[in-house]
Amino acid sequence: MANYFITGFPGFISNQLIKEMLSDNDIFYCLHVPSMKEKAALEASKIEKEKGVSGRIILIEGDITQEDLNLTFSIQEKLKGEVEYVWHLAAIYDLSVAHEAAYKVNVIGTENINRFCLRLPRLRRYVYFSTAFVAGDREGKLLESELIRPAGFHNHYEETKFEAECLVDSLKEKLPVTIFRPGIVKGRSDTGETSKFDGPYFIMNMFSRLSFLPIIPAIGDGGSFVNIVPVEFITRASIYLGHLSNAVGKTYHLTDPHPYKVKEIYSSILWELNRKKPVGSIPLRLASASLKLAPVRKYLKVEKEALDYFSWNGSFDCTEALGDLNPAGIVCTDFLETMGSMVKFYKENRNDPHYHVMVD
């Protein structure tokens, strides 16, 4: 039996993690903000019903941006006496987020979780979910062992996640820390299920909106690689490594070792969604300039920051992750081979506002 404390519930990855791990033996204390009370209760009920268990997910209302996570003394003491694993996923992932908001949640929030972990006498592992894009504008081969401040960042999300990872990394001498840096996360490979249409789904939003056009051009030369990973790879890999004794003190790139180029992804999505192939191309700078116009962004449902990754030339070395995952046989599925389920789910749900990210 193990007791887990998980932040970021009922977010998609935390939701999927609990589905994978939930059993009759473990307890999951799930921290959620007050505004997510109803959704958290609904998701917890659905997961327990699906897994055939009850009373194993315990919801705790709190706020990582507040001192002591805004928990009462009695709850703090209960958690202090029981929690063995902390999985910190709560963050603002929005590429267009303002610095102040991102800093408050991603940096101050992580600092508060760090303090919480330092007070847990039974702690066996502190798992922190960072992002591969803490690399910022660094290019070339990027190693798991590196945590180097780049000359610049593409957005405040990258910047604040870098600063937060630095805070967690500094605890490796004091706590049993494991850090994960996922690539761009998409829905499940088998069903296509996801919780929101962001990341690679922005391209689908654009193609869906422009489906009336006789031709759709490519954007730029499409020569950069984009690292997209399915959520089940992230959950299975992190569950295995998050309990592996050899993973203590390590940082892992949970990325696709064989990513595709922008042009390959772009063409594949366009074909699966609209049965068209790109004709001609428009310069990337022109496409970026058009997305600076709010009406264009809102119509296409695409964040302007998304195009930054169309021209970024970095590659994530995941040798450490591959080596430690090999005995478990956990591998990243081929992105293009699972395109069908991804597009099918999108088509079935593209008119549901629940899945769409607000684009300003």
Side-chain angles (χ1 to χ4, degrees), residues 218-221 282-292 307 310-311:
I219 297 177
D221 64 17
I282 60 173
L284 182 59
R285 65 179 182 278
L286 181 59
S288 297
S290 68
L291 288 180
K292 290 180 180 178
L307 292 188
F310 276 45
S311 59

Side-chain angles (χ1 to χ4, degrees), residues 170-214:
S170 69
L171 293 181
K172 285 181 175 177
E173 296 297 319
K174 299 179 180 179
L175 296 176
V177 170
T178 300
I179 296 174
F180 296 127
R181 294 178 184 159
I184 299 170
V185 182
K186 76 174 189 73
R188 293 186 60 86
S189 296
D190 50 2
T191 64
E193 178 194 0
T194 188
S195 63
K196 58 183 178 179
F197 295 143
D198 60 357
Y201 298 90
F202 282 138
I203 299 177
M204 293 189 186
N205 289 342
M206 181 177 68
F207 289 160
S208 181
R209 289 297 215 176
L210 300 179
S211 60
F212 66 91
L213 295 175

